[in-house]
């Protein structure tokens, strides 16, 4: 999927659309990509002269990529984070890097989806997290 196709699944737009490509591999796995250009709003103050992608933004990138897994066909809904666990930051993500995410659905119950995600730059693990997303139908 390209960004235009992704926009049909998630409500995020500029400056918060943080997945450029996504692919549903099977019923439990999706992959996503985002290349850090260097002019993103979150790099301006984190850190001046030494820009590093903030950890919370890395988690957001993984969460957005995972929405490809849990999107319902023809159902308008909004995904919301409800929990993050076991978050670990292993290596920095810098301007010019492409974060490639792998997201795995581990369980679902009602509107809640439990996902394990990892983010890599050049096959080097940079971030990992388990999170719960609530998918709420729009009224």
């Amino acid at each position: 999927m390209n960004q235009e196709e992704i926009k049909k699944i998630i409500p995020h737009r500029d400056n918060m659309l943080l997945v450029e490509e996504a692919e549903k591999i099977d019923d439990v796995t999706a992959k996503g990509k985002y290349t850090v250009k260097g002019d993103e709003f979150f790099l301006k103050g984190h850190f001046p002269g030494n820009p590093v992608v903030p950890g919370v933004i890395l988690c957001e990138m993984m969460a957005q990529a995972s929405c490809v897994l849990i999107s319902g066909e023809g159902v308008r809904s909004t995904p919301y984070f409800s929990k993050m666990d076991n978050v670990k930051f292993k290596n920095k993500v810098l301007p010019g890097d492409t974060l490639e995410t792998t997201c795995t659905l581990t369980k679902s119950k009602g509107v809640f989806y439990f996902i394990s995600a990892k983010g890599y730059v050049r096959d080097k693990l940079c971030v990992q997290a388990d999170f719960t997303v609530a998918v709420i139908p729009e009224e």
Side-chain angles (χ1 to χ4, degrees), residues 69-80:
L69 272 176
I70 58 178
S71 64
E73 298 275 330
V75 177
R76 295 195 50 82
S77 57
T78 302
Y80 295 97

mmCIF file with all atom_site columns, all heavy atoms in Angstrom, residues 69-80:
data_model
loop_
_atom_site.group_PDB
_atom_site.id
_atom_site.type_symbol
_atom_site.label_atom_id
_atom_site.label_alt_id
_atom_site.label_comp_id
_atom_site.label_asym_id
_atom_site.label_entity_id
_atom_site.label_seq_id
_atom_site.pdbx_PDB_ins_code
_atom_site.Cartn_x
_atom_site.Cartn_y
_atom_site.Cartn_z
_atom_site.occupancy
_atom_site.B_iso_or_equiv
_atom_site.pdbx_formal_charge
_atom_site.auth_seq_id
_atom_site.auth_comp_id
_atom_site.auth_asym_id
_atom_site.auth_atom_id
_atom_site.pdbx_PDB_model_num
ATOM 1  N N   . LEU A 1 69 ? -3.125  -4.424 9.476  1.00 0.00 ? 69 LEU A N   1
ATOM 2  C CA  . LEU A 1 69 ? -3.575  -5.740 9.929  1.00 0.00 ? 69 LEU A CA  1
ATOM 3  C C   . LEU A 1 69 ? -5.017  -5.737 10.406 1.00 0.00 ? 69 LEU A C   1
ATOM 4  O O   . LEU A 1 69 ? -5.753  -6.687 10.184 1.00 0.00 ? 69 LEU A O   1
ATOM 5  C CB  . LEU A 1 69 ? -2.726  -6.188 11.135 1.00 0.00 ? 69 LEU A CB  1
ATOM 6  C CG  . LEU A 1 69 ? -1.458  -6.939 10.903 1.00 0.00 ? 69 LEU A CG  1
ATOM 7  C CD1 . LEU A 1 69 ? -0.751  -7.174 12.210 1.00 0.00 ? 69 LEU A CD1 1
ATOM 8  C CD2 . LEU A 1 69 ? -1.723  -8.246 10.201 1.00 0.00 ? 69 LEU A CD2 1
ATOM 9  N N   . ILE A 1 70 ? -5.392  -4.688 11.107 1.00 0.00 ? 70 ILE A N   1
ATOM 10 C CA  . ILE A 1 70 ? -6.655  -4.705 11.856 1.00 0.00 ? 70 ILE A CA  1
ATOM 11 C C   . ILE A 1 70 ? -7.759  -3.890 11.213 1.00 0.00 ? 70 ILE A C   1
ATOM 12 O O   . ILE A 1 70 ? -8.825  -3.738 11.789 1.00 0.00 ? 70 ILE A O   1
ATOM 13 C CB  . ILE A 1 70 ? -6.415  -4.246 13.313 1.00 0.00 ? 70 ILE A CB  1
ATOM 14 C CG1 . ILE A 1 70 ? -5.818  -2.852 13.371 1.00 0.00 ? 70 ILE A CG1 1
ATOM 15 C CG2 . ILE A 1 70 ? -5.517  -5.237 14.023 1.00 0.00 ? 70 ILE A CG2 1
ATOM 16 C CD1 . ILE A 1 70 ? -5.594  -2.307 14.766 1.00 0.00 ? 70 ILE A CD1 1
ATOM 17 N N   . SER A 1 71 ? -7.514  -3.394 10.013 1.00 0.00 ? 71 SER A N   1
ATOM 18 C CA  . SER A 1 71 ? -8.549  -2.602 9.346  1.00 0.00 ? 71 SER A CA  1
ATOM 19 C C   . SER A 1 71 ? -9.642  -3.524 8.819  1.00 0.00 ? 71 SER A C   1
ATOM 20 O O   . SER A 1 71 ? -9.365  -4.588 8.289  1.00 0.00 ? 71 SER A O   1
ATOM 21 C CB  . SER A 1 71 ? -7.947  -1.789 8.208  1.00 0.00 ? 71 SER A CB  1
ATOM 22 O OG  . SER A 1 71 ? -7.445  -2.655 7.213  1.00 0.00 ? 71 SER A OG  1
ATOM 23 N N   . GLY A 1 72 ? -10.883 -3.097 8.992  1.00 0.00 ? 72 GLY A N   1
ATOM 24 C CA  . GLY A 1 72 ? -12.010 -3.866 8.484  1.00 0.00 ? 72 GLY A CA  1
ATOM 25 C C   . GLY A 1 72 ? -12.418 -3.355 7.113  1.00 0.00 ? 72 GLY A C   1
ATOM 26 O O   . GLY A 1 72 ? -12.447 -2.150 6.880  1.00 0.00 ? 72 GLY A O   1
ATOM 27 N N   . GLU A 1 73 ? -12.724 -4.250 6.226  1.00 0.00 ? 73 GLU A N   1
ATOM 28 C CA  . GLU A 1 73 ? -13.159 -3.881 4.876  1.00 0.00 ? 73 GLU A CA  1
ATOM 29 C C   . GLU A 1 73 ? -14.485 -3.128 4.944  1.00 0.00 ? 73 GLU A C   1
ATOM 30 O O   . GLU A 1 73 ? -15.463 -3.642 5.491  1.00 0.00 ? 73 GLU A O   1
ATOM 31 C CB  . GLU A 1 73 ? -13.337 -5.127 4.019  1.00 0.00 ? 73 GLU A CB  1
ATOM 32 C CG  . GLU A 1 73 ? -12.057 -5.920 3.828  1.00 0.00 ? 73 GLU A CG  1
ATOM 33 C CD  . GLU A 1 73 ? -11.216 -5.407 2.692  1.00 0.00 ? 73 GLU A CD  1
ATOM 34 O OE1 . GLU A 1 73 ? -11.780 -4.866 1.731  1.00 0.00 ? 73 GLU A OE1 1
ATOM 35 O OE2 . GLU A 1 73 ? -9.992  -5.559 2.770  1.00 0.00 ? 73 GLU A OE2 1
ATOM 36 N N   . GLY A 1 74 ? -14.515 -1.906 4.450  1.00 0.00 ? 74 GLY A N   1
ATOM 37 C CA  . GLY A 1 74 ? -15.752 -1.148 4.360  1.00 0.00 ? 74 GLY A CA  1
ATOM 38 C C   . GLY A 1 74 ? -16.287 -0.628 5.686  1.00 0.00 ? 74 GLY A C   1
ATOM 39 O O   . GLY A 1 74 ? -17.364 -0.068 5.732  1.00 0.00 ? 74 GLY A O   1
ATOM 40 N N   . VAL A 1 75 ? -15.569 -0.838 6.772  1.00 0.00 ? 75 VAL A N   1
ATOM 41 C CA  . VAL A 1 75 ? -16.023 -0.383 8.088  1.00 0.00 ? 75 VAL A CA  1
ATOM 42 C C   . VAL A 1 75 ? -15.227 0.853  8.462  1.00 0.00 ? 75 VAL A C   1
ATOM 43 O O   . VAL A 1 75 ? -14.006 0.797  8.579  1.00 0.00 ? 75 VAL A O   1
ATOM 44 C CB  . VAL A 1 75 ? -15.814 -1.488 9.153  1.00 0.00 ? 75 VAL A CB  1
ATOM 45 C CG1 . VAL A 1 75 ? -16.219 -0.982 10.518 1.00 0.00 ? 75 VAL A CG1 1
ATOM 46 C CG2 . VAL A 1 75 ? -16.581 -2.731 8.783  1.00 0.00 ? 75 VAL A CG2 1
ATOM 47 N N   . ARG A 1 76 ? -15.895 1.981  8.629  1.00 0.00 ? 76 ARG A N   1
ATOM 48 C CA  . ARG A 1 76 ? -15.204 3.207  9.028  1.00 0.00 ? 76 ARG A CA  1
ATOM 49 C C   . ARG A 1 76 ? -15.001 3.176  10.529 1.00 0.00 ? 76 ARG A C   1
ATOM 50 O O   . ARG A 1 76 ? -15.961 3.080  11.285 1.00 0.00 ? 76 ARG A O   1
ATOM 51 C CB  . ARG A 1 76 ? -15.994 4.428  8.588  1.00 0.00 ? 76 ARG A CB  1
ATOM 52 C CG  . ARG A 1 76 ? -16.071 4.532  7.054  1.00 0.00 ? 76 ARG A CG  1
ATOM 53 C CD  . ARG A 1 76 ? -16.516 5.869  6.534  1.00 0.00 ? 76 ARG A CD  1
ATOM 54 N NE  . ARG A 1 76 ? -15.833 7.023  7.062  1.00 0.00 ? 76 ARG A NE  1
ATOM 55 C CZ  . ARG A 1 76 ? -14.647 7.498  6.642  1.00 0.00 ? 76 ARG A CZ  1
ATOM 56 N NH1 . ARG A 1 76 ? -13.993 6.883  5.691  1.00 0.00 ? 76 ARG A NH1 1
ATOM 57 N NH2 . ARG A 1 76 ? -14.134 8.585  7.170  1.00 0.00 ? 76 ARG A NH2 1
ATOM 58 N N   . SER A 1 77 ? -13.741 3.225  10.930 1.00 0.00 ? 77 SER A N   1
ATOM 59 C CA  . SER A 1 77 ? -13.416 3.157  12.350 1.00 0.00 ? 77 SER A CA  1
ATOM 60 C C   . SER A 1 77 ? -12.131 3.932  12.610 1.00 0.00 ? 77 SER A C   1
ATOM 61 O O   . SER A 1 77 ? -11.411 4.293  11.689 1.00 0.00 ? 77 SER A O   1
ATOM 62 C CB  . SER A 1 77 ? -13.267 1.703  12.783 1.00 0.00 ? 77 SER A CB  1
ATOM 63 O OG  . SER A 1 77 ? -12.278 1.060  12.004 1.00 0.00 ? 77 SER A OG  1
ATOM 64 N N   . THR A 1 78 ? -11.871 4.166  13.896 1.00 0.00 ? 78 THR A N   1
ATOM 65 C CA  . THR A 1 78 ? -10.662 4.880  14.301 1.00 0.00 ? 78 THR A CA  1
ATOM 66 C C   . THR A 1 78 ? -9.878  4.008  15.272 1.00 0.00 ? 78 THR A C   1
ATOM 67 O O   . THR A 1 78 ? -10.445 3.517  16.255 1.00 0.00 ? 78 THR A O   1
ATOM 68 C CB  . THR A 1 78 ? -11.015 6.214  14.978 1.00 0.00 ? 78 THR A CB  1
ATOM 69 O OG1 . THR A 1 78 ? -11.797 6.992  14.068 1.00 0.00 ? 78 THR A OG1 1
ATOM 70 C CG2 . THR A 1 78 ? -9.759  6.992  15.353 1.00 0.00 ? 78 THR A CG2 1
ATOM 71 N N   . PRO A 1 79 ? -8.575  3.796  15.011 1.00 0.00 ? 79 PRO A N   1
ATOM 72 C CA  . PRO A 1 79 ? -7.751  3.031  15.939 1.00 0.00 ? 79 PRO A CA  1
ATOM 73 C C   . PRO A 1 79 ? -7.191  3.945  17.036 1.00 0.00 ? 79 PRO A C   1
ATOM 74 O O   . PRO A 1 79 ? -6.714  5.043  16.749 1.00 0.00 ? 79 PRO A O   1
ATOM 75 C CB  . PRO A 1 79 ? -6.630  2.497  15.044 1.00 0.00 ? 79 PRO A CB  1
ATOM 76 C CG  . PRO A 1 79 ? -6.507  3.532  13.960 1.00 0.00 ? 79 PRO A CG  1
ATOM 77 C CD  . PRO A 1 79 ? -7.877  4.116  13.769 1.00 0.00 ? 79 PRO A CD  1
ATOM 78 N N   . TYR A 1 80 ? -7.262  3.490  18.273 1.00 0.00 ? 80 TYR A N   1
ATOM 79 C CA  . TYR A 1 80 ? -6.725  4.242  19.413 1.00 0.00 ? 80 TYR A CA  1
ATOM 80 C C   . TYR A 1 80 ? -5.787  3.338  20.209 1.00 0.00 ? 80 TYR A C   1
ATOM 81 O O   . TYR A 1 80 ? -6.133  2.201  20.517 1.00 0.00 ? 80 TYR A O   1
ATOM 82 C CB  . TYR A 1 80 ? -7.846  4.700  20.354 1.00 0.00 ? 80 TYR A CB  1
ATOM 83 C CG  . TYR A 1 80 ? -8.799  5.686  19.754 1.00 0.00 ? 80 TYR A CG  1
ATOM 84 C CD1 . TYR A 1 80 ? -10.012 5.283  19.205 1.00 0.00 ? 80 TYR A CD1 1
ATOM 85 C CD2 . TYR A 1 80 ? -8.498  7.054  19.746 1.00 0.00 ? 80 TYR A CD2 1
ATOM 86 C CE1 . TYR A 1 80 ? -10.901 6.202  18.662 1.00 0.00 ? 80 TYR A CE1 1
ATOM 87 C CE2 . TYR A 1 80 ? -9.382  7.972  19.197 1.00 0.00 ? 80 TYR A CE2 1
ATOM 88 C CZ  . TYR A 1 80 ? -10.578 7.537  18.659 1.00 0.00 ? 80 TYR A CZ  1
ATOM 89 O OH  . TYR A 1 80 ? -11.458 8.448  18.120 1.00 0.00 ? 80 TYR A OH  1
#
